[in-house]
């Protein structure tokens, strides 16, 4: 099977990547071109069908990150690291009359350059160096192409540098247009090939993953033995059969109000629009006033997939109204499918979560949900009401969880908030794990 790779790259660099189409015969490339890496978020949103995204460097990957989160597709990027800088310093030393005495450099991270300098045993005391390490470290220097251009121009015009080495195509074009001696960072062929090979590997994994066995269970919750209830069962069956035809899945009836679906992970991904929605459940509620619960499960065997589907159905039935949940072969619970979809793990190999669970008696699944809750927020502060709404528990249940964690100092009180003029203030907490 083919793996469709979307390549996000500057125009002049694209042929170096797509040249590997002959070597990796299972790959098909489609190119999406940018001039400024800050455009890449918009560019990613324009990509139609692809299996893997390949970025020409860490910068376009960084600016495409937010859009990537919506696509749920594997992605890779060609690194700009110590190896790249070592190669470029060697090239300048051997091929440029300016030499290495007065160099102006921009790099994703200064530590990369320091390591390359140590490899060559060079004297870099006369160099001017800036980085944009925020793309690697959250509290690092932000990327601003205009700042980098000014940095190099000031160094050159003041005589502090006689040659610029830049890792940003846009900066290279601007400096060249102003007559500044400049080298665009040479990307090693080895790095390109290894990244393309990684994209091919992800493609094969995706094909294997999509072939996993999938089982779905659907049940009408508000079943009535009246004529309307019978109509609802028939309509649900028809809707599921239509979905089955579209996605190569088979449907069997277990009872008047229950159905089982057999397919692959790929078919369920298509059916749920990449696990983001399940339109059948909403239609049934609108047409017949009945609520429908659905659970999907993946596994390496039909038995494992059905067991996971029953877990999904259990979670769906705990919701108010119609809903659908999905449980992967790694026991990750995704749902309810639709607005506000969340994901957490029923099991964990995270030693810290296991330690917290053992000491507090709070389940790993709940701690996993709590961890996901914190990651969604801009800061690590919340109230019991915030937590109750996210976990879909009563406020009292959320307060009990907080109390258990506070007893062992995994949560601490950091203040209060008064959202309304009347009533008691709410305690504000912070997680320490």
């Amino acid at each position: 099977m083919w793996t469709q790779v979307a390549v996000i790259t500057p125009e002049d660099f694209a042929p170096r990547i797509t040249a590997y189409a002959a070597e990796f015969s299972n790959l098909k490339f489609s190119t999406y071109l940018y001039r400024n890496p800050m455009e890449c978020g918009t560019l990613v949103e324009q990509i139609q069908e692809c299996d893997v995204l390949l970025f020409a460097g860490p910068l376009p990957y960084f600016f495409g990150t937010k859009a990537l989160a919506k696509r749920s597709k594997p992605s890779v990027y060609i690194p700009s690291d110590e190896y790249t800088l070592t190669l470029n310093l060697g090239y300048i030393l051997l091929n440029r009359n300016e030499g290495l005495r007065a160099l102006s450099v921009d790099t994703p991270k200064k530590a990369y350059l320091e390591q390359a300098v140590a490899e060559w045993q060079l004297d870099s005391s006369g160099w001017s160096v800036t980085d944009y390490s925020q793309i690697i470290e959250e509290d690092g220097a932000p990327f601003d192409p205009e700042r980098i251009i000014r940095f190099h121009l000031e160094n050159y015009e003041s005589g502090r540098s006689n040659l610029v080495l830049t890792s940003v195509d846009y900066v290279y074009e601007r400096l060249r247009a102003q007559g500044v001696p400049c080298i665009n960072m040479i990307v090693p062929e080895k790095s390109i090939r290894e990244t393309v090979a990684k994209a091919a590997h992800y493609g094969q994994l995706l094909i294997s993953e999509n072939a996993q066995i999938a089982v779905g269970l659907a049940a009408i919750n508000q079943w009535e033995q009246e004529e309307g209830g019978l109509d609802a069962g028939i309509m649900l069956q028809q809707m599921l059969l239509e979905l089955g035809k579209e996605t190569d899945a088979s449907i069997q009836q277990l009872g008047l109000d229950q159905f089982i679906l057999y397919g692959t992970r790929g078919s369920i991904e298509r059916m749920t629009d990449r696990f983001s929605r399940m339109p059948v459940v909403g239609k049934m509620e609108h047409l017949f006033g009945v609520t429908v619960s659905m659970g999907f499960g993946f596994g390496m065997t039909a038995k494992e997939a059905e067991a996971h589907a029953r877990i999904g159905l259990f979670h769906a039935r705990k919701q108010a109204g119609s809903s659908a949940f999905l449980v992967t072969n790694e026991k990750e619970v995704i749902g309810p499918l639709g607005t506000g979809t969340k994901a957490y793990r029923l099991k964990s190999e995270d030693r810290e979560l296991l330690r917290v669970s053992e000491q507090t008696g709070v389940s790993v699944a709940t701690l996993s949900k709590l961890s996901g809750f914190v990651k969604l927020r801009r800061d690590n502060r919340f109230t019991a009401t915030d937590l109750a709404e996210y976990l879909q528990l009563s406020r009292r249940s959320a307060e009990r969880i907080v109390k258990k964690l506070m007893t062992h100092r995994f949560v601490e009180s950091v203040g209060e908030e008064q959202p309304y003029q009347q009533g008691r203030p709410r305690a504000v907490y912070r997680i320490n794990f």
Side-chain angles (χ1 to χ4, degrees):
M1 291 181 65
W2 292 97
T3 297
Q4 185 70 41
V5 179
V7 180
I8 297 90
T9 175
E11 185 173 6
D12 60 348
F13 192 66
R16 292 189 64 189
I17 300 172
T18 57
Y20 284 96
E23 184 173 341
F24 294 88
S25 56
N26 63 320
L27 299 184
K28 281 187 177 180
F29 294 102
S30 54
T31 54
Y32 297 82
L33 307 177
Y34 68 85
R35 185 164 177 262
N36 186 330
M38 297 176 79
E39 303 166 1
C40 289
T42 304
L43 204 57
V44 169
E45 292 174 354
Q46 295 171 1
I47 294 173
Q48 299 299 315
E49 290 299 322
C50 76
D51 300 307
V52 182
L53 292 92
L54 191 158
F55 292 84
L59 259 178
Y61 173 78
F62 173 75
F63 285 107
T65 301
K66 285 186 179 178
L68 281 173
K70 301 174 185 176
R71 298 191 68 92
S72 301
K73 295 287 185 183
S75 56
V76 295
Y77 64 86
I78 298 168
S80 181
D81 52 15
E82 303 93 327
Y83 178 71
T84 304
L85 283 160
T86 300
L87 174 70
N88 280 270
L89 293 178
Y91 173 83
I92 294 171
L93 194 62
L94 295 172
N95 297 283
R96 297 291 300 217
N97 293 330
E98 297 93 341
L100 293 170
R101 285 194 296 180
L103 201 60
S104 184
V105 187
D106 64 71
T107 175
K109 191 174 180 179
K110 288 181 180 178
Y112 294 161
L113 184 63
E114 291 166 0
Q115 187 166 336
V117 166
E119 291 280 350
W120 279 100
Q121 297 182 353
L122 297 172
D123 177 11
S124 61
S125 58
W127 298 4
S128 301
V129 182
T130 188
D131 70 8
Y132 41 92
S133 54
Q134 187 185 56
I135 70 169
I136 299 166
E137 302 164 343
E138 196 170 324
D139 57 349
F143 175 77
D144 179 354
E146 300 303 325
R147 175 187 67 84
I148 295 172
I149 290 167
R150 288 195 302 272
F151 172 82
H152 290 309
L153 277 174
E154 289 170 6
N155 289 330
Y156 179 69
E157 291 171 353
S158 66
R160 287 193 297 270
S161 70
N162 59 9
L163 181 65
V164 171
L165 176 61
T166 179
S167 54
V168 185
D169 302 276
Y170 177 73
V171 171
Y172 172 75
E173 290 177 9
R174 290 279 300 277
L175 292 175
R176 289 277 292 177
Q178 297 183 60
V180 178
C182 187
I183 293 177
N184 197 8
M185 199 81 73
I186 300 166
V187 180
E189 203 64 36
K190 177 176 179 288
S191 299
I192 300 173
R193 189 190 185 285
E194 288 180 349
T195 305
V196 174
K198 188 183 291 186
H201 174 66
Y202 279 138
Q204 289 302 311
L205 283 178
L206 198 62
I207 291 169
S208 174
E209 189 176 72
N210 282 341
Q212 283 180 5
I213 296 169
V215 172
L217 294 168
I220 298 175
N221 298 321
Q222 296 175 0
W223 177 251
E224 300 172 359
Q225 298 297 330
E226 299 176 4
E227 188 176 349
L230 180 60
D231 289 343
I234 293 171
M235 179 57 73
L236 178 58
Q237 182 182 30
Q238 288 302 313
M239 287 182 177
L240 292 174
L241 286 170
E242 286 300 318
L243 278 175
K245 287 178 184 177
E246 294 172 9
T247 57
D248 295 323
S250 65
I251 311 294
Q252 294 180 18
Q253 190 166 6
L254 296 179
L256 290 175
D257 59 346
Q258 294 187 18
F259 303 87
I260 189 165
L261 174 153
Y262 294 99
T264 64
R265 180 171 179 142
S267 66
I268 302 304
E269 184 171 347
R270 294 193 299 275
M271 186 181 294
T272 59
D273 193 12
R274 299 188 183 93
F275 315 143
S276 64
R277 63 192 184 94
M278 191 61 214
V280 167
V281 293
K283 286 181 181 178
M284 290 296 297
E285 195 163 348
H286 175 72
L287 291 171
F288 294 96
V290 297
T291 59
V292 177
S293 295
M294 296 188 72
F296 296 96
F298 303 145
M300 301 309 293
T301 66
K303 184 177 181 180
E304 181 184 36
E306 185 174 345
H308 290 163
R310 294 193 183 282
I311 294 171
L313 185 61
F314 169 77
H315 285 279
R317 280 177 162 159
K318 289 198 300 181
Q319 305 296 304
S322 298
S323 67
F325 275 73
L326 187 151
V327 180
T328 70
N329 62 309
E330 296 176 339
K331 287 189 166 53
E332 182 180 33
V333 179
I334 302 171
L337 302 186
T339 306
T341 299
K342 310 176 186 75
Y344 64 93
R345 292 187 180 276
L346 294 173
K347 66 174 185 177
S348 176
E349 295 175 2
D350 186 322
R351 292 183 179 180
E352 180 66 9
L353 285 187
L354 293 171
R355 181 177 71 86
V356 174
S357 177
E358 185 177 340
Q359 291 188 29
T360 62
V362 178
S363 71
V364 170
T366 298
L367 291 173
S368 179
K369 289 182 187 178
L370 189 54
S371 178
F373 166 67
V374 172
K375 288 176 183 176
L376 285 173
R377 302 175 70 82
R378 291 187 177 181
D379 58 28
N380 187 8
R381 299 184 182 195
F382 63 94
T383 66
T385 301
D386 295 331
L387 186 61
E389 289 175 355
Y390 181 82
L391 297 180
Q392 295 187 325
L393 300 171
S394 67
R395 180 174 173 177
R396 183 168 294 181
S397 296
E399 287 173 342
R400 280 198 294 267
I401 292 169
V402 170
K403 187 176 180 181
K404 286 181 181 180
L405 293 169
M406 286 185 71
T407 302
H408 294 83
R409 299 183 180 179
F410 292 119
V411 165
E412 63 177 325
S413 175
V414 293
E416 293 182 340
E417 71 172 18
Q418 183 88 35
Y420 307 106
Q421 290 184 352
Q422 296 180 346
R424 296 172 57 187
R426 297 173 179 174
V428 177
Y429 305 102
R430 180 170 61 203
I431 292 177
N432 293 327
F433 66 88

